[in-house]
């Protein structure tokens, strides 16, 4: 059949007949950009980008958490490190590109939550929708016949009671020929979604801004030493961007004893540490001292800070004397463990008091043994047969140049080696309580035994002090972060587990006076339990109708004659 001449497809197609899109303009482009930014797809994409952007923070050391590692990275990779530094790879979490993704995600979530919250409140105040004309088209459709003597209005009244007792919001609709009730439930699902997104915004704000008021500091303490919670007393200190050092809560922390338990029964794990315990004493300003214990995964919480145990080792007490017997150096020097049996490396620097500046690189062996090559090693991490070896260097230690240097490293490029190596002079070997002369008549060095009485009987367990490394952390956002994280989980599970349903019950009066009941439901999204829920409503409704069915009067028997 041919089309009429005035049909649109019969008209000649000209450029003027096509659809002409209006120009968006500045306002239109801004509105389009805002809609794209606040869409769920964009929020998920930004979350993925944030996860990808955080990867460099785990691949290279960060200045905020490991400044010494950054310095070492520059030393190990002199060509690559400057390039990474320009890309802010050592400051990932404060970099411009990471902050941009973070802020865009923050804005996207806010722009997504606010309109949905407004719409949700309007939906909560609105009445359930009118009952559809054809319930047979909906899911879970089923029919019942009301008991005799039941009218449509009464049936719907009981249906309203059943639905309200099941947690539905209901609205009743009546006409001349039929009555119905419309019910809906599951708005808690949307509430959970909104709580989830709002709590996620709270997490972002807490981590991004609240964390700026905290700090993390590290301090190494040898048994018997005391730390005062002041800025200058930390070995390293990493404040948040909004941190004020006047907010430090003054208290002292003393390391009384550090003990380690080692496995001695299981030969497959012989010498493995079982438990680390740092017994400390905390004294808040103006208050009495309180004992405390710090363990691995068992921090001590005091004065607004959490004190964590990071590491431990031995701190041999070394004394250096001048030729005239004057003590020019005496301290318990922390030696850094190099293996599981605590073979440890330590540095001693003596810049004053001797004819030349003196530096020594020492190795400490808690249980000294020898390889076939004659090299020393430690065969067990506890103090069974301790030995200290020292290689002596003389020259300019570089301490007078005003450039900070690590106490755990000794640059030997401009120093003269006096013992060990190719010097032809044996390294100094000392047992607890022993002394040795320094080369070139510089003086003497001693390995102080802190428990000579026990050492005389072969018990060296207390002859060398131990040290512990503590991380002192203050985070004012912990309670907020836990609270928002709990809300995130609540919103997530609520949004996943609570179904959104609408159920209708319609009662129609037939010509013979009987009442026909129709039941149907509609779900938002996939709801495999919807049909069963509609059937359950129908069964309960019919049972209630039978229970409240009016009694039928029985005619009296005729009198007997």
């Amino acid at each position: 059949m041919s089309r009429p001449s005035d049909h649109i497809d019969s008209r000649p197609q000209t450029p003027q007949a096509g659809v002409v899109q209006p120009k968006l303009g500045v306002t239109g482009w801004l509105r389009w950009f805002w809609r794209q930014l606040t869409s769920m797809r964009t929020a998920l994409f930004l979350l993925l980008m944030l996860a990808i952007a955080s990867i460099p923070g785990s691949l290279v050391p960060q200045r905020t958490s490991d400044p010494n590692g950054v310095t070492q990275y520059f030393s190990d990779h002199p060509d690559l490190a400057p390039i990474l530094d320009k890309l802010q790879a050592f400051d990932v979490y404060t970099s411009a590109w990471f902050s941009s993704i973070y802020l865009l995600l923050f804005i996207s979530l806010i722009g997504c939550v606010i309109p949905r919250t407004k719409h949700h409140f309007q939906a909560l105040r609105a009445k359930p929708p009118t009952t559809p004309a054809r319930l047979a088209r909906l899911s879970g459709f089923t029919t019942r016949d009301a008991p005799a003597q039941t009218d449509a209005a009464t049936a719907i009244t009981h249906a309203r009671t059943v639905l309200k007792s099941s947690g539905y919001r209901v609205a009743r609709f009546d006409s001349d020929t039929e009555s119905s009730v419309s019910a809906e439930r599951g708005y808690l699902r949307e509430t959970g979604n909104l709580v989830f997104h709002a709590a996620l915004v709270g997490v972002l704000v807490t981590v991004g801004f609240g964390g700026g008021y905290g700090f993390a500091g590290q301090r190494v303490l040898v048994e018997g030493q005391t730390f005062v919670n002041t800025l200058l007393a930390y070995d390293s200190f990493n404040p948040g961007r909004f941190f004020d050092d006047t907010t430090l809560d003054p208290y002292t922390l003393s390391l009384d004893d550090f003990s380690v338990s080692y496995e001695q029964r299981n030969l497959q794990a012989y010498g493995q540490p079982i438990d680390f315990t740092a017994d400390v004493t905390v004294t808040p300003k103006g208050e009495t001292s309180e004992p405390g214990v710090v363990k691995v995964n068992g921090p001590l919480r005091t004065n607004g800070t959490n004190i964590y145990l990071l590491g431990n080792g031995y701190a041999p007490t070394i004394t250096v004397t001048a030729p005239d017997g004057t003590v020019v150096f005496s301290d318990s020097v922390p030696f850094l463990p190099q293996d599981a049996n605590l073979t440890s490396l330590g540095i001693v620097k003596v810049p004053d008091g001797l004819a030349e500046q003196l530096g020594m690189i020492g190795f400490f062996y808690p249980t000294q043994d020898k390889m076939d090559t004659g090299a020393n090693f430690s065969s067990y991490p506890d103090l069974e047969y301790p030995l200290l070896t020292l290689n002596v260097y003389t020259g300019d230690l570089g301490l007078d140049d005003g450039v900070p240097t690590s106490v755990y490293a000794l640059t030997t490029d401009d120093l003269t080696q006096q013992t060990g190596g190719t010097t032809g002079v044996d390294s100094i070997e000392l047992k607890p309580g022993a002394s040795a002369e320094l080369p070139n008549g510089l003086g003497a060095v001693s390995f102080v035994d802190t428990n000579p009485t026990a050492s005389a009987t072969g018990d060296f367990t207390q002859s060398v002090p131990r040290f512990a490394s503590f991380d002192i952390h203050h985070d004012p956002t912990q309670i907020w972060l836990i609270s928002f994280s709990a809300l995130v989980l609540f919103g997530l599970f609520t949004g996943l587990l609570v179904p959104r349903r609408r159920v209708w019950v319609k009662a129609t009066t037939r010509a013979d006076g009987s009442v026909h009941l129709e039941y149907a439901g509609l779900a938002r999204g996939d709801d495999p339990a919807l049909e069963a829920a509609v059937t359950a409503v129908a069964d309960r409704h019919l049972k209630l109708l039978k229970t409240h069915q009016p009694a039928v009067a029985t005619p009296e028997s005729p009198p007997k004659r």
Side-chain angles (χ1 to χ4, degrees):
M1 182 183 294
S2 60
R3 295 185 176 92
S5 59
D6 61 346
H7 193 275
I8 185 172
D9 289 343
S10 300
R11 298 174 184 175
Q13 297 297 318
T14 61
Q16 290 76 12
V19 177
V20 179
Q21 295 287 351
K23 293 184 179 181
L24 291 178
V26 177
T27 304
W29 279 109
L30 290 176
R31 186 181 294 110
W32 177 86
F33 177 77
W34 176 252
R35 288 178 177 175
Q36 298 300 315
L37 179 61
T38 56
S39 67
M40 186 59 62
R41 180 176 57 185
T42 302
L44 293 175
F45 176 74
L46 289 173
L47 275 174
L48 177 63
M49 290 296 296
L50 193 69
I52 296 175
S54 64
I55 292 178
S58 61
L59 298 179
V60 296
Q62 300 295 296
R63 285 192 174 94
T64 55
S65 58
D66 189 11
N68 292 331
V70 175
T71 303
Q72 187 64 41
Y73 195 93
F74 270 85
S75 177
D76 297 339
H77 306 86
D79 297 327
L80 179 61
I83 298 175
L84 294 178
D85 195 23
K86 290 182 179 179
L87 297 175
Q88 297 180 302
F90 301 110
D91 303 281
V92 168
Y93 306 110
T94 56
S95 63
W97 44 273
F98 188 88
S99 300
S100 299
I101 299 174
Y102 195 93
L103 290 175
L104 284 175
L105 177 60
F106 180 74
I107 296 172
S108 176
L109 288 174
I110 292 179
C112 185
V113 168
I114 292 178
R116 288 179 59 184
T117 302
K118 180 181 178 182
H119 177 75
H120 183 55
F121 283 148
Q122 291 175 346
L124 288 176
R125 292 194 300 267
K127 291 175 57 177
T130 306
T131 305
R134 299 179 182 179
L135 293 181
R137 296 181 175 183
L138 303 179
S139 301
F141 176 74
T142 185
T143 62
R144 299 284 194 278
D145 287 328
Q149 308 300 323
T150 301
D151 59 88
T154 302
I156 293 304
T157 299
H158 289 311
R160 183 176 182 274
T161 302
V162 170
L163 291 170
K164 287 196 70 175
S165 66
S166 299
Y168 287 87
R169 298 169 59 239
V170 298
R172 181 169 177 163
F173 303 95
D174 295 295
S175 65
D176 296 337
T177 59
E178 65 181 25
S179 296
S180 65
V181 61
S182 176
E184 60 182 357
R185 62 175 295 183
Y187 276 96
L188 187 61
R189 181 190 186 101
E190 180 64 12
T191 302
N193 285 328
L194 292 174
V195 169
F196 170 79
H197 289 89
L200 196 58
V201 173
V203 170
L204 292 175
V205 173
T206 301
V207 174
F209 299 98
Y213 293 95
F215 70 87
Q218 295 74 40
R219 176 61 191 262
V220 174
L221 287 179
V222 180
E223 289 176 321
Q225 289 185 349
T226 298
F227 157 77
V228 181
N229 188 32
T230 59
L231 189 60
L232 296 178
Y234 285 92
D235 294 329
S236 60
F237 191 80
N238 304 302
R241 65 180 65 187
F242 309 122
F243 174 74
D244 183 3
D245 59 359
T246 60
T247 61
L248 283 174
D249 195 1
Y251 66 88
T252 62
L253 176 71
S254 301
L255 178 60
D256 303 323
D257 181 68
F258 188 86
S259 58
V260 184
S261 300
Y262 296 102
E263 177 60 56
Q264 295 180 334
R265 295 183 179 180
N266 183 5
L267 296 180
Q268 300 298 324
Y270 190 77
Q272 294 295 321
I274 299 176
D275 185 43
F276 300 94
T277 302
D279 294 311
V280 300
T281 299
V282 179
T283 308
K285 183 178 180 181
E287 300 181 20
T288 58
S289 300
E290 298 178 356
V293 176
V294 187
K295 287 178 173 287
V296 177
N297 298 327
L300 174 65
R301 294 174 174 84
T302 180
N303 293 273
T305 60
N306 292 336
I307 303 174
Y308 298 89
L309 181 62
L310 293 183
N312 68 93
Y314 291 99
T317 302
I318 300 173
T319 298
V320 178
T321 57
D324 60 0
T326 304
V327 176
V328 296
F329 178 89
S330 183
D331 198 4
S332 295
V333 182
F335 276 49
L336 302 182
Q338 304 296 303
D339 57 30
N341 287 324
L342 294 189
T343 298
S344 304
L345 171 66
I347 303 297
V348 178
K349 299 179 183 180
V350 186
D352 302 306
L354 301 177
E356 295 182 84
Q357 291 188 348
L358 179 71
M360 291 184 288
I361 299 177
F363 281 91
F364 178 71
Y365 309 93
T367 302
Q368 182 262 342
D369 205 343
K370 283 188 176 293
M371 300 180 182
D372 295 338
T373 59
N376 293 316
F377 73 98
S378 178
S379 59
Y380 186 71
D382 209 355
L383 294 171
E384 297 293 337
Y385 191 75
L387 179 70
L388 174 66
T389 65
L390 298 169
N391 282 337
V392 180
Y393 294 82
T394 57
D396 185 5
L397 299 177
L399 301 179
D400 300 329
D401 299 334
V403 179
T405 60
S406 173
V407 296
Y408 301 108
L410 179 65
T411 303
T412 60
D413 297 340
D414 298 328
L415 300 179
T416 302
Q417 187 171 358
Q418 302 293 341
T419 63
T422 60
T423 61
V425 180
D426 292 338
S427 300
I428 297 176
E429 295 187 356
L430 299 173
K431 295 179 180 179
S435 300
E437 295 294 326
L438 293 170
N440 302 327
L442 288 174
V445 58
S446 303
F447 181 9
V448 179
D449 188 347
T450 56
N451 192 6
T453 303
S455 301
T457 62
D459 181 10
F460 295 99
T461 54
Q462 300 295 326
S463 61
V464 181
R466 299 198 69 138
F467 76 85
S469 176
F470 295 101
D471 181 78
I472 302 172
H473 189 74
H474 172 64
D475 185 2
T477 65
Q478 286 184 337
I479 296 178
W480 290 101
L481 190 59
I482 292 174
S483 301
F484 283 127
S485 299
L487 288 175
V488 166
L489 293 177
F490 167 78
L492 180 62
F493 284 110
T494 302
L496 292 176
L497 300 179
V498 175
R500 177 79 178 273
R501 294 172 180 165
R502 285 176 178 169
V503 176
W504 291 275
V505 181
K506 182 188 294 186
T508 306
T509 304
R510 296 191 181 103
D512 59 358
S514 63
V515 174
H516 180 65
L517 301 174
E518 295 178 82
Y519 306 85
L522 181 66
R524 185 171 184 176
D526 187 22
D527 186 359
L530 177 61
E531 293 185 4
V534 174
T535 302
V537 168
D539 293 340
R540 290 179 57 199
H541 182 215
L542 199 61
K543 182 179 179 180
L544 185 63
L545 290 177
K546 292 179 178 179
T547 303
H548 291 80
Q549 185 178 8
V552 179
T554 304
E556 296 182 359
S557 301
K560 294 181 179 181
R561 294 182 180 178

